[in-house]
Amino acid sequence: MKDTYHRDKTFDKLNYAGKILSGQEFESCTFINCDFSESNLSGNDFVDCRFEGCNLSMVRVDQTGLKNVAFHNCKLMGVDFSACNDFLLAVSFHHCILDYISFFRKKIRKTTFHGCSIKEANFTQTDLSGSSLTDCEMSQTVFQQTILEKADFRSASNFSIDPEMNKIKGAKFSSSGLIGLLDKYDLVVD
């Protein structure tokens, strides 16, 4: 990419796997079926962008700006979002694979996770207040000192949240999901 500023562009089937892309700004751009796996996207800014069917597994995002960025049907395994730029950080995920991701110490209030696989992820000290985690598979995902106030877990499955180690006031859970709040007690519930 020769230009450093891109606006209202669509990138289709771009292959940047394992490459370095930095110093770029993307505004209102769409990425369709692109491969960024194991690439380094550090130092870029994405504003009002959309990724559809892209592979961003193991991508580096050190000081990357993600401002109102939507991911649909994307693979983002192993991405360390805790390295992203905090300024105006706002993302949403729909039908994505988010296994092994980290949002350690990030404020991602009112974030939408819909129909996602979020296995063995790290939300330690993350502010997820008001977030929606609908139809998400969350086995072995870590919640420690996490703010989950008013978050919606009603249709999430296989999560384990210790109410004594997290702030859960006003969070929504289904009756079948309540077992995820009792895991530390090693109870047998039929």
Side-chain angles (χ1 to χ4, degrees):
M1 292 186 194
K2 294 178 182 176
D3 297 329
T4 57
Y5 179 72
H6 310 274
R7 181 178 171 86
D8 295 320
K9 292 183 182 176
T10 298
F11 300 91
D12 192 9
K13 297 180 183 169
L14 186 67
N15 187 348
Y16 254 84
K19 296 180 182 175
I20 297 172
L21 179 65
S22 64
Q24 306 283 312
E25 185 175 349
F26 299 90
E27 185 176 349
S28 300
C29 291
T30 303
F31 298 84
I32 302 170
N33 299 318
C34 296
D35 187 358
F36 290 103
S37 59
E38 298 186 35
S39 65
N40 187 341
L41 299 181
S42 299
N44 294 303
D45 267 320
F46 296 90
V47 180
D48 297 325
C49 290
R50 181 178 172 102
F51 289 82
E52 298 176 14
C54 295
N55 184 355
L56 295 115
S57 294
M58 301 300 294
V59 70
R60 286 191 55 194
V61 287
D62 301 352
Q63 290 306 305
T64 298
L66 298 174
K67 302 161 186 159
N68 194 32
V69 176
F71 297 91
H72 292 262
N73 300 302
C74 291
K75 187 175 181 182
L76 297 121
M77 291 177 60
V79 177
D80 184 4
F81 288 100
S82 65
C84 283
N85 188 334
D86 290 326
F87 185 66
L88 298 176
L89 175 62
V91 289
S92 64
F93 303 94
H94 305 269
H95 303 286
C96 292
I97 299 173
L98 300 167
D99 302 342
Y100 316 108
I101 62 161
S102 176
F103 274 103
F104 179 68
R105 289 188 173 169
K106 285 297 182 193
K107 289 183 182 178
I108 51 170
R109 298 175 181 150
K110 297 183 180 178
T111 297
T112 298
F113 297 86
H114 177 75
C116 296
S117 174
I118 313 174
K119 299 176 188 171
E120 297 186 48
N122 184 1
F123 289 103
T124 301
Q125 297 179 19
T126 302
D127 185 350
L128 278 166
S129 55
S131 293
S132 174
L133 297 109
T134 54
D135 299 322
C136 292
E137 159 63 39
M138 306 189 76
S139 60
Q140 298 183 38
T141 289
V142 176
F143 296 96
Q144 277 193 320
Q145 298 175 343
T146 306
I147 302 171
L148 300 168
E149 294 173 345
K150 297 182 182 176
D152 189 347
F153 284 87
R154 288 180 289 187
S155 60
S157 61
N158 298 318
F159 58 85
S160 179
I161 298 170
D162 184 345
E164 294 174 18
M165 297 291 293
N166 299 283
K167 295 181 180 180
I168 63 168
K169 186 176 182 178
K172 299 172 186 170
F173 299 93
S174 66
S175 57
S176 62
L178 290 178
I179 192 69
L181 300 174
L182 303 170
D183 277 350
K184 80 174 197 174
Y185 300 110
D186 201 25
L187 301 173
V188 177
V189 179
D190 288 328

